[in-house]
Amino acid sequence: MSHAPSAALPVGHYAYDAVDRTFLKQRVAQFQDQVERRLSGALTEEEFKPLRLMNGLYLQLHAYMLRVAIPYGVLDAAQMRTLAHIARTYDRDYGHFTTRQNIQFNWIRLEDTPEILNVLADADMHAIQTSGNCIRNVTADQFAGAAADEVLDPRVYAEILRQWSTLHPEFTFLPRKFKIAISGSQQDRVAARFHDIGLIAREGANGRPVFEVFVGGGLGRTPIIGVRLRDDLPEEDLIAYLEAILRVYNAHGRRDNIYKARIKILVQALGAEEFLSQVNAEFSAMDRSRYRLPEATVEAIRARFGAPEFAPAGDAAEKLVAQRKSDRAFDAWVRTNTHAHKQPGYASVTVSCKPAGGIPGDVTSAQMDLLADLADCYSFGELRITHLQNVVLGHVRQDALYDVWQALEKNGLGEANIGFITDIVACPGLDYCALANARSIPIAQKLSSRFANADLQREIGPLRLNISGCINACGHHHAGHIGILGVDKRGEEAFQITLGGSAGGEDASVGQILGSAMSEDETVDAIARIIDTYLSRRTAGERFIETCRRLGTAPFKDAAYAPA
């Protein structure tokens, strides 16, 4: 899609133009004809399947599911209200935020999908490339453009990659789906090493950014930490180098075996050195002038995001200090749910979509409308969806945090649990997904209720708990400090526990299976015993993952499988 200047710029959100909107409307009209032919019987389900998948429409256990793209997790208040309207009108009054910063509607009627896509197009949204063997939604740091530690704004580069990859003729039918993540700071907040391509920005010698490039990471049936191909990729060569990687994968990736089709298998089969050699050979042979990313182009894209007009800090920080002193619950929420902002007097707010006993990532239409209102009132009209299934208000004045928190508290979104054990990541599981072996939602709800006590969560400290309903690992269980995998055990739902996974930074690791699968209730009890073991064996200031690495899995396995 184009990136010509726009007269009316939103804040923090990429501005579509007439070319973008015409393209979306044409795409919807095309799909409407395909749906009508399917409903009339002119197309069989087998013929229709690849067409619907190219438009984000899945056929699940009970209904169609529509996955709507939220590019790099960024949307504005009007778009959030559009999602609320779709939830109310065409679904069962809620949506589910996903680990690729998208949203899913799980109860869609086939005959309604063209109308839904038209509604989305009117709001500059779509469902393109949310499925299929193509480059999926590029994910980015949820604090993009706001974080105090930011080297560059990853939204700009994620948008460049979106424009490059959308309907790319060479990469529309890859051997398998392909996922890219980009972090704009040296702190990896996107799990870069667990992606097909992960990018981490840092400052280059000439003032322009350079990227560390990781390739061949992924979870699923074969969890692998990606290898570093480059640590100094210049900004101007970003598109060319990624195209070289995709060409090597497209040429050699397995198409005869779905389980061996991901780029991670190719990198392992060739070896990192041979893969790098082939990428470099392709890169050297390309006409780089066709792919060069000039500074002017980057700045044109940056301008399409607009910029907030921050107010002077004034006494915002002092007011916040006083409010925190007067309200212990508010102070706890600020400590867990806010992030340092580059602008004095402001903070980024992470809204927890994980209430005690709730379904991780599910948000009602009323809550979506509330989030849109809060964005308009307090955050320049923009929001972000995180890959951990929460929502971020990127730019909130510190003296407005108390009002934001009170509004969230009244509407079931005020949980002060970001980064704690109840901030659970979970896929929809067997309640919806035809591929799942077990239900993820009920065990997530039981664990959330078991550890709902706020003082207990703070005592446990930072801990990442992830749940997947099958080996495809949509809940990223391998990357959780504690992971839960749903399996089929002689026709019954059961769960394996993994321990020691970590998604971010140099200490990225794959969780190790503790032992045999257990029932749902046994698993909840086993995790409680694992936590008790940690609390009794940790040293002063030691986080859960650090204790796991120091002690190894043995004491936790003994606790998990201790006789009742």
Side-chain angles (χ1 to χ4, degrees):
M1 296 182 185
S2 70
H3 51 260
S6 173
L9 297 178
V11 172
H13 178 260
Y14 178 77
Y16 276 37
D17 62 15
V19 174
D20 299 308
R21 294 180 181 120
T22 299
F23 165 75
L24 289 187
K25 286 294 186 178
Q26 290 173 342
R27 180 70 176 236
V28 173
Q30 180 188 63
F31 187 56
Q32 179 163 4
D33 176 68
Q34 293 164 350
V35 169
E36 289 172 357
R37 285 187 287 146
R38 174 69 188 110
L39 291 170
S40 72
L43 289 176
T44 66
E45 169 55 25
E46 185 178 357
E47 292 167 331
F48 181 60
K49 181 178 179 180
L51 303 175
R52 62 172 169 78
L53 289 178
M54 283 191 282
N55 290 277
L57 190 65
Y58 289 74
L59 182 56
Q60 297 204 304
L61 281 176
H62 311 295
Y64 285 93
M65 178 270 281
L66 181 67
R67 181 180 295 143
V68 177
I70 304 176
Y72 34 92
V74 176
L75 72 166
D76 61 30
Q79 290 174 325
M80 183 66 91
R81 292 189 184 97
T82 295
L83 298 177
H85 166 73
I86 291 170
R88 271 192 303 271
T89 308
Y90 303 103
D91 202 278
R92 296 188 176 181
D93 205 36
Y94 71 95
H96 175 76
F97 293 124
T98 78
T99 55
R100 290 221 65 73
Q101 299 179 304
N102 292 321
I103 188 169
Q104 294 180 180
F105 295 104
N106 289 311
W107 298 95
I108 298 299
R109 299 193 315 160
L110 176 58
E111 52 266 41
D112 290 336
T113 53
E115 187 174 343
I116 296 170
L117 292 177
N118 259 319
V119 170
L120 289 168
D122 289 339
D124 294 348
M125 300 185 79
H126 60 80
I128 298 167
Q129 293 186 197
T130 60
S131 180
N133 294 338
C134 58
I135 298 172
R136 300 287 186 89
N137 189 32
V138 177
T139 54
D141 184 349
Q142 64 266 30
F143 303 121
D149 63 350
E150 188 170 86
V151 175
L152 57 77
D153 185 342
R155 295 172 303 176
V156 175
Y157 300 88
E159 174 59 29
I160 289 168
L161 295 180
R162 184 188 72 84
Q163 293 189 18
W164 160 72
S165 64
T166 300
L167 304 186
H168 192 303
E170 196 170 344
F171 306 139
T172 300
F173 298 100
L174 292 166
R176 198 72 172 87
K177 58 187 176 181
F178 202 92
K179 299 178 180 180
I180 301 173
I182 178 169
S183 173
S185 82
Q186 280 290 279
Q187 183 177 352
D188 180 3
R189 287 187 282 265
V190 299
R193 291 161 178 82
F194 281 120
H195 279 75
D196 298 297
I197 295 177
L199 301 168
I200 298 179
R202 62 178 178 82
E203 274 193 44
N206 64 354
R208 290 189 71 182
V210 297
F211 297 93
E212 290 181 84
V213 181
F214 296 88
V215 174
L219 298 171
R221 190 174 298 270
T222 310
I224 294 174
I225 296 170
V227 300
R228 183 188 277 107
L229 283 195
R230 292 281 299 267
D231 61 8
D232 60 349
L233 178 66
E235 174 190 73
E236 66 179 19
D237 286 330
L238 177 63
I239 297 299
Y241 200 73
L242 265 60
E243 180 123 350
I245 292 171
L246 265 295
R247 285 183 181 183
V248 172
Y249 171 51
N250 209 16
H252 299 299
R254 297 279 297 270
R255 284 180 163 84
D256 61 329
N257 187 329
I258 192 173
Y259 304 115
K260 296 183 179 181
R262 297 293 293 268
I263 194 174
K264 62 186 178 182
I265 303 299
L266 177 63
V267 173
Q268 296 298 311
L270 291 177
E273 286 189 17
E274 174 60 22
F275 185 82
L276 174 60
S277 175
Q278 292 199 26
V279 170
N280 286 343
E282 185 68 43
F283 182 61
S284 298
M286 294 168 70
D287 178 0
R288 302 252 284 283
S289 63
R290 291 182 55 213
Y291 295 90
R292 188 164 290 119
L293 193 57
E295 262 187 288
T297 299
V298 176
E299 291 309 311
I301 294 288
R302 194 187 314 279
R304 291 290 290 274
F305 284 90
E309 293 184 8
F310 293 113
D315 60 353
E318 290 77 9
K319 285 183 178 179
L320 176 60
V321 168
Q323 290 167 330
R324 293 180 69 173
K325 284 181 178 178
S326 67
D327 192 320
R328 179 174 177 265
F330 173 61
D331 177 63
W333 179 82
V334 171
R335 276 188 280 127
T336 56
N337 291 48
T338 64
H339 192 270
H341 201 287
K342 63 173 66 175
Q343 181 71 20
Y346 283 79
S348 294
V349 170
T350 302
V351 180
S352 174
C353 300
K354 323 284 179 64
I359 300 173
D362 276 15
V363 177
T364 67
S365 64
Q367 289 173 329
M368 291 183 212
D369 282 334
L370 171 73
L371 289 168
D373 291 344
L374 291 175
D376 273 339
C377 289
Y378 300 106
S379 190
F380 302 94
E382 61 131 321
L383 308 104
R384 294 93 180 279
I385 311 306
T386 82
H387 79 281
L388 300 174
Q389 300 175 293
N390 294 310
V391 177
V392 166
L393 298 168
H395 318 284
V396 180
R397 272 184 64 90
Q398 290 175 339
D399 53 2
L401 287 172
Y402 192 75
D403 290 340
V404 170
W405 172 68
Q406 286 189 311
L408 294 171
E409 274 279 284
K410 291 174 184 175
N411 291 275
L413 294 170
E415 203 76 26
N417 65 344
I418 298 302
F420 288 164
I421 191 169
T422 60
D423 185 13
I424 297 168
V425 171
C427 70
L430 192 57
D431 281 308
Y432 300 100
C433 181
L435 301 176
N437 294 312
R439 293 170 298 163
S440 303
I441 291 172
I443 192 169
Q445 292 174 299
K446 287 181 179 180
L447 285 163
S448 176
S449 298
R450 183 73 166 257
F451 294 100
N453 182 275
D455 290 332
L456 174 59
Q457 291 182 57
R458 287 192 288 271
E459 173 67 14
I460 296 168
L463 192 153
R464 173 58 51 206
L465 175 59
N466 292 39
I467 305 172
S468 299
C470 76
I471 198 64
N472 289 309
C474 294
H476 299 179
H477 64 280
H478 292 113
H481 299 156
I482 298 175
I484 300 174
L485 168 63
V487 298
D488 184 320
K489 190 173 184 179
R490 294 185 292 276
E492 299 290 333
E493 295 178 50
F495 300 89
Q496 287 180 337
I497 297 173
T498 59
L499 208 65
S502 178
E506 296 291 341
D507 69 345
S509 55
V510 175
Q512 301 301 305
I513 296 173
L514 277 191
S516 58
M518 295 178 273
S519 71
E520 185 178 285
D521 288 338
E522 288 172 335
T523 304
V524 173
D525 290 340
I527 288 174
R529 292 193 295 272
I530 287 170
I531 296 301
D532 288 341
T533 300
Y534 158 63
L535 293 175
S536 66
R537 300 285 299 271
R538 66 181 174 181
T539 60
E542 194 173 49
R543 297 177 302 142
F544 179 85
I545 186 63
E546 294 166 340
T547 304
C548 285
R549 288 171 176 166
R550 176 172 60 83
L551 296 178
T553 60
F556 297 102
K557 182 175 181 178
D558 290 343
Y561 292 94

